[in-house]
Amino acid sequence: MFSIRFFKQAALALACVTLTSGLLPQPLWANQPENPPGYCILPPYQQLAKPTTLDKQLLSTMEQYKIVGLSAAVFKDNKLVWSNGYGWSNLETCRPVTSDTLFRVASLSKMVTATALMQLYEQRKFDLDDDISNYLGYKVRNPHFPNSKITFRQLLTHTSSITDNGAYYSIVEETPDLLRKIDIKDMLVPDGQYYTAETFSDYAPGTKFSYSNFGTGIVGSLVEKISGMPFDKYCSKYIFNPLNMDASFEPADLKNWQNIAVLYRPDEQLTSFRPTKDDFQGSKPKPATFSAPLGSALGRSPAGGLRTSSTDLSKFMQAHMNGGRYNRTRILKADTADLMHSMQWFGNSMDGFYKQKGLNFHITDDLVPGKRLIGHSGEAYGLSSDAYYDPDSKLGVIFMMNGGNMTDANPYYSVENAIAKTLFDTFAPKTINTTKKISAKSNAAYIIVNDRKIVLPAPAAIVKTGQTKNLFLPAISAADALGVSLGQTGETYTYTYGQNKAALTAGRAVMLVNGKTMNLANAPYKQQETVLVPIQELASALKVDIKLSF
């Protein structure tokens, strides 16, 4: 038997269709089970007056994956070239999604948090390999490795050995309001009220990757300690306001707060949706109250609490794509932006989702086949979000969904792959010069690849054999320069590009290419803790087109 709530919601859904499309709707209760308490029906999407091919493709994908609402934007070079919204930002009130709808963007926030810290880095407030203890004002150590420091770089690459386990997870799940009250020190020092050894992994800092929201919370806390400002106020003053973004980690500060999207999770049948976050019931969000001391930013959600729109976030992404500058506004020096986007870690984590990482920027080959993209993804409370750009074509996409079928990750959800591919197929240049122009000097601390600077963990080397000169680069930097994937077993490095694989081992003058052994003019070699590999022979084996200048 149907509940009164179900008929009320069905009637509301019919009103949504009638008001937005002017079409005669079909009864939504036909062949529908009773709506679970607290859930909303997903009404049919708005019927566009003159839908483009792109509109039809995106709406078809939304229908397939039962997406509540979608906002998307595409930027190219120095401008926004397209944006639109589809579906619903609030199922109770039939409020549609537009390109200006604001979403809680989840882990896309980490790019902003890292940017805030790196602004302080370029002011020489700290070095990336400094011990964070010296800036927090108390000693932070993994109890399993008490003699190993934990650094800024490790926090920004998720290799600090600080995890989301222990007290952080239980507080977030059970008593999240507590994050606005407690001193983060009490979670990090052995005599702290909320300290547990489970917060730390059983590997040494800097040796393995473990995705950590808590680690990014510490990054936000360091921003407070070093700048002397609350984290959210710092981001508004030095990032959002200069870029003219309606964005904040504090919802009460948003100008367009009435257009914040409600986030939803579906039932098992994907027919009804339960609101999970940002359901403000038509009232302006009240400012959060904090009693935690400055330097304890967890309650301000540096890891996931940013609210903004796809169009405004495109300003931030354009700044990163264009060397730290958006139009005439600079938020980072070009060298700092390049450093953040350079490969700092490689491996295989989270079932292959993370294979390459910059400084809180994700480097991926898996969202759109054949494209290396730089950016980040997000997921929380039913939301799924992506913001990435292609450094070769200077094209970027942003899209946010506030609920739907998110069950088939491999490593991205299928709906993410479908939307990203549709946007790139529509807007990417039909022909792209894929030649990697690499400029290097012997003993230099960096190389230039297509105008992008890659900082090297060890100096480049030019090795002469007879009349031939070969450029040797650190193994991780070679992968970054060529735009290929990299794996490691001991001192053997395996590079993958499409169907081609090449494996090199320190001290061996041979390379295994697609199962066949090839001789090298000079063997890869170890310099301190870094293995250097020959870039020309590697590029030839992988069939990557390069043009060298050294």
Side-chain angles (χ1 to χ4, degrees):
M1 185 174 181
F2 296 113
S3 66
I4 295 176
R5 178 182 175 86
F6 176 82
F7 283 111
K8 181 179 178 181
Q9 290 180 347
L12 183 60
L14 290 172
C16 287
V17 179
T18 304
L19 288 172
T20 57
S21 69
L23 301 178
L24 184 63
Q26 295 297 316
L28 284 181
W29 54 78
N31 300 317
Q32 291 281 352
E34 184 172 354
N35 208 40
Y39 283 71
C40 299
I41 292 173
L42 177 60
Y45 302 125
Q46 295 171 280
Q47 301 298 310
L48 304 180
K50 295 182 179 179
T52 65
T53 299
L54 176 59
D55 293 330
K56 294 176 183 178
Q57 289 175 321
L58 293 175
L59 284 166
S60 176
T61 298
M62 291 176 66
E63 189 75 51
Q64 179 182 353
Y65 293 98
K66 306 300 181 186
I67 302 302
V68 177
L70 165 70
S71 179
V74 178
F75 51 95
K76 177 79 169 69
D77 296 323
N78 295 293
K79 64 181 180 179
L80 180 72
V81 297
W82 175 88
S83 64
N84 211 342
Y86 308 88
W88 310 104
S89 65
N90 189 317
L91 292 174
E92 288 279 3
T93 63
C94 303
R95 175 158 45 90
V97 171
T98 70
S99 56
D100 295 320
T101 298
L102 293 91
F103 290 74
R104 185 186 187 278
V105 301
S107 286
L108 303 192
S109 309
K110 291 180 172 66
M111 295 186 290
V112 173
T113 301
T115 299
L117 186 66
M118 293 303 289
Q119 287 180 334
L120 299 169
Y121 161 82
E122 65 184 20
Q123 296 172 30
R124 299 185 178 181
K125 301 287 188 181
F126 65 92
D127 286 328
L128 284 174
D129 297 314
D130 282 352
D131 187 340
I132 63 171
S133 302
N134 299 333
Y135 300 83
L136 290 172
Y138 47 86
K139 193 172 185 177
V140 180
R141 289 291 185 268
N142 182 326
H144 308 294
F145 301 91
N147 297 322
S148 298
K149 67 180 180 180
I150 293 173
T151 71
F152 290 84
R153 190 190 306 272
Q154 291 164 2
L155 288 176
L156 293 171
T157 55
H158 299 272
T159 60
S160 69
S161 79
I162 295 174
T163 74
D164 290 342
N165 297 325
Y168 177 81
Y169 178 81
S170 61
I171 291 172
V172 169
E173 290 296 310
E174 299 169 12
T175 54
D177 290 347
L178 190 60
L179 294 174
R180 297 198 294 269
K181 302 174 182 178
I182 62 176
D183 190 333
I184 194 173
K185 177 180 179 182
D186 287 335
M187 302 174 69
L188 292 171
V189 299
D191 60 350
Q193 181 179 355
Y194 303 100
Y195 178 87
T196 64
E198 287 75 19
T199 294
F200 301 88
S201 291
D202 59 357
Y203 59 82
T207 61
K208 291 185 180 180
F209 181 102
S210 181
Y211 191 81
S212 177
N213 291 295
F214 186 26
T216 303
I218 299 171
V219 171
S221 299
L222 285 162
V223 170
E224 292 193 346
K225 280 284 190 179
I226 297 170
S227 70
M229 294 177 62
F231 170 75
D232 58 321
K233 304 302 181 186
Y234 178 93
C235 292
S236 292
K237 183 174 182 178
Y238 292 105
I239 299 175
F240 304 142
N241 293 345
L243 293 175
N244 194 28
M245 295 173 63
D246 187 12
S248 182
F249 286 86
E250 170 53 79
D253 291 342
L254 295 166
K255 297 176 184 177
N256 193 24
W257 62 267
Q258 300 97 329
N259 203 17
I260 300 175
V262 181
L263 306 186
Y264 296 92
R265 289 195 188 279
D267 63 7
E268 292 183 359
Q269 289 75 36
L270 298 173
T271 56
S272 302
F273 292 79
R274 172 177 58 86
T276 59
K277 198 74 172 177
D278 286 0
D279 188 6
F280 296 112
Q281 299 291 315
S283 299
K284 183 176 181 179
K286 295 180 180 180
T289 57
F290 293 86
S291 57
L294 196 70
S296 298
L298 291 178
R300 303 181 193 274
S301 299
L306 173 65
R307 274 85 170 177
T308 191
S309 66
S310 58
T311 51
D312 274 342
L313 188 61
S314 74
K315 301 171 184 177
F316 173 82
M317 293 301 293
Q318 285 176 73
H320 267 278
M321 186 176 73
N322 293 302
R325 182 175 175 176
Y326 169 71
N327 291 336
R328 296 184 178 181
T329 299
R330 180 169 292 283
I331 60 170
L332 287 172
K333 297 177 181 177
D335 284 357
T336 308
D338 285 338
L339 176 60
M340 294 181 71
H341 309 151
S342 295
M343 196 185 299
Q344 303 281 329
W345 169 89
F346 67 93
N348 191 306
S349 185
M350 294 179 65
D351 296 324
F353 188 85
Y354 280 102
K355 296 173 185 172
Q356 296 98 201
K357 190 76 173 176
L359 297 178
N360 249 342
F361 272 73
H362 184 201
I363 303 167
T364 184
D365 305 309
D366 294 317
L367 183 59
V368 179
K371 292 190 182 296
R372 166 146 294 185
L373 303 177
I374 298 173
H376 216 287
S377 66
E379 181 183 13
Y381 304 107
L383 169 128
S384 180
S385 57
D386 292 276
Y388 290 92
Y389 69 87
D390 174 7
D392 290 330
S393 65
K394 287 295 185 76
L395 178 78
V397 302
I398 297 169
F399 53 94
M400 308 168 185
M401 299 171 282
N402 59 335
N405 183 2
M406 314 289 179
T407 58
D408 58 347
N410 186 33
Y412 287 88
Y413 293 123
S414 295
V415 64
E416 294 176 278
N417 292 123
I419 291 173
K421 186 177 185 303
T422 295
L423 294 175
F424 270 97
D425 285 350
T426 302
F427 293 98
K430 301 308 177 186
T431 58
I432 300 174
N433 183 2
T434 58
T435 301
K436 305 286 186 182
K437 296 180 181 179
I438 302 174
S439 176
K441 294 181 180 179
S442 185
N443 295 317
Y446 64 88
I447 59 172
I448 303 294
V449 181
N450 293 351
D451 299 323
R452 180 171 72 100
K453 179 181 287 188
I454 297 177
V455 178
L456 307 176
I462 297 175
V463 178
K464 191 172 182 179
T465 304
Q467 298 300 312
T468 303
K469 293 191 295 185
N470 290 312
L471 174 64
F472 277 69
L473 297 177
I476 188 173
S477 305
D480 200 357
L482 298 179
V484 301
S485 297
L486 176 60
Q488 179 183 2
T489 304
E491 292 187 355
T492 296
Y493 294 84
T494 301
Y495 297 82
T496 304
Y497 183 68
Q499 301 300 312
N500 297 311
K501 285 191 175 184
L504 304 99
T505 304
R508 297 188 62 192
V510 294
M511 176 168 52
L512 192 66
V513 181
N514 298 330
K516 297 181 179 180
T517 301
M518 297 180 61
N519 292 325
L520 299 172
N522 301 94
Y525 64 95
K526 196 169 185 179
Q527 181 174 304
Q528 296 179 344
E529 296 301 316
T530 303
V531 173
L532 284 83
V533 300
I535 193 75
Q536 296 106 306
E537 291 165 302
L538 179 60
S540 177
L542 296 172
K543 293 182 171 54
V544 177
D545 187 19
I546 66 172
K547 184 177 180 180
L548 276 176
S549 171
F550 59 86

